[in-house]
Amino acid sequence: MRVSLFIACFNDTLFPGTGRAVVNVLERLGHEVDFPMAQTCCGQMHYNTGYQREAVPMVRHFVETFGDAEAVVSPSPSCVGMVHELYPKAAALAEDERLARDVAALIPRVHEFTTFLVHVLGVEDLGAYFPHRVTFHPTCHSLRTLRIGDAPQRLLRKVRGLDLVELPDKEECCGFGGTFSVKNADTSIAMLSDKVRCVLGTEAEYCVAADNSCLMHIGGALHRERTGVRPLHIAEILECRDGDPSPAPGFVAAAEVIRDIDGSERP
């Protein structure tokens, strides 16, 4: 199958290792992966902050860029959720029947990474090896928008050497929510503190999720408190094989990027 990678802004900017992992996993399974260079932001940030009409051109652009794809796969449930849940509303807002038809035709071919593996390709055992204690945060868009169920956990349970430990109150939001964490900082920090307490209670080495936006939020607290617990996208675990070097810890990599940009040392 020819798969088009929709990388999403967070991953493209801060977590390139996640995109590489997705490509490696899909190519190992025998699929051809292409990366449409014209892709941009899906428009979620604009739409969710009240700029619905301003997001419509990005909806059109996404449809133009991926409209002919056999399958579109993304390691970002929040952005896939934007396509599935809000693109039809954006098309209706624009009163554009052709755009609405194109969106409706494209949505069934736009998939979140783990559900694509489990429910489209029918694969759970990828031959991965990751000998570490791991806990999984399911993220709000995975649970409440896409309803991806236990696809990520089914994949993790097949990873040799991996000790998957249940995260207490796993369905509770981490407090990120895009601009929510900016507009409601105190509430966001309180929610994040609860999430970090639960993660630490598992004694896991890695906190794993299918969405780097939440991992960046959680990872920031884990890093600042010097817990030693690393955030990591699930794709980077599924990519690992016996004998591979340890994956680059996503948050630390992102912190290095930020430091390089502004020249300051972050705690």
Side-chain angles (χ1 to χ4, degrees):
M1 183 184 297
R2 185 176 178 85
V3 178
S4 296
L5 174 62
F6 168 41
I7 190 64
C9 302
F10 258 86
N11 299 321
D12 189 37
T13 307
L14 297 174
F15 303 97
T18 296
R20 285 196 293 267
V22 170
V23 172
N24 286 337
V25 169
L26 292 174
E27 288 186 342
R28 283 175 182 169
L29 292 172
H31 301 283
E32 181 182 356
V33 182
D34 73 332
F35 184 83
M37 294 299 292
Q39 63 181 285
T40 63
C41 173
C42 66
Q44 180 189 185
M45 186 69 74
H46 309 74
Y47 198 97
N48 286 346
T49 49
Y51 294 94
Q52 283 90 357
R53 290 192 181 280
E54 287 80 358
V56 170
M58 282 174 274
V59 175
R60 295 187 197 280
H61 185 73
F62 186 94
V63 171
E64 291 170 0
T65 302
F66 291 103
D68 294 330
E70 183 177 1
V72 181
V73 173
S74 177
S76 173
S78 61
C79 298
V80 174
M82 169 69 185
V83 175
H84 280 240
E85 182 181 43
L86 298 179
Y87 272 24
K89 296 179 180 178
L93 181 66
E95 299 180 343
D96 186 330
E97 293 184 2
R98 179 177 177 179
L99 179 61
R101 287 196 301 271
D102 290 344
V103 166
L106 179 56
I107 283 176
R109 289 178 278 130
V110 180
H111 307 278
E112 182 276 330
F113 175 60
T114 63
T115 52
F116 181 72
L117 293 174
V118 173
H119 298 306
V120 178
L121 300 182
V123 177
E124 294 185 16
D125 189 346
L126 295 159
Y129 174 71
F130 194 76
H132 297 284
R133 186 175 175 90
V134 167
T135 193
F136 182 78
H137 168 61
T139 84
C140 293
H141 280 94
S142 298
L143 285 173
R144 300 176 177 87
T145 302
L146 295 180
R147 301 183 187 281
I148 67 174
D150 65 348
Q153 290 92 331
R154 288 163 66 176
L155 292 163
L156 290 173
R157 290 189 190 106
K158 296 292 185 179
V159 176
R160 290 188 300 114
L162 189 148
D163 180 13
L164 180 61
V165 57
E166 189 83 357
L167 179 64
D169 299 329
K170 62 183 179 183
E171 296 187 358
E172 295 295 327
C173 176
C174 68
F176 180 56
T179 55
F180 174 84
S181 61
V182 177
K183 294 177 178 177
N184 305 278
D186 291 343
T187 304
S188 174
I189 291 171
M191 297 167 75
L192 177 62
S193 297
D194 288 342
K195 181 61 66 175
V196 168
R197 175 178 49 78
C198 290
V199 170
L200 295 180
T202 66
E203 299 184 349
E205 300 167 74
Y206 288 86
C207 178
V208 175
D211 201 322
N212 274 327
S213 55
C214 297
L215 281 176
M216 186 177 74
H217 190 56
I218 298 169
L222 292 172
H223 185 67
R224 287 177 186 276
E225 294 181 17
R226 303 185 187 280
T227 63
V229 182
R230 295 178 172 183
L232 194 63
H233 194 284
I234 186 173
E236 294 175 67
I237 288 179
L238 300 178
E239 176 194 29
C240 289
R241 296 290 186 90
D242 193 0
D244 287 348
S246 296
F251 175 75
V252 174
E256 292 296 327
V257 170
I258 294 170
R259 186 179 61 189
D260 289 345
I261 290 173
D262 66 9
S264 63
E265 184 70 42
R266 301 298 173 91

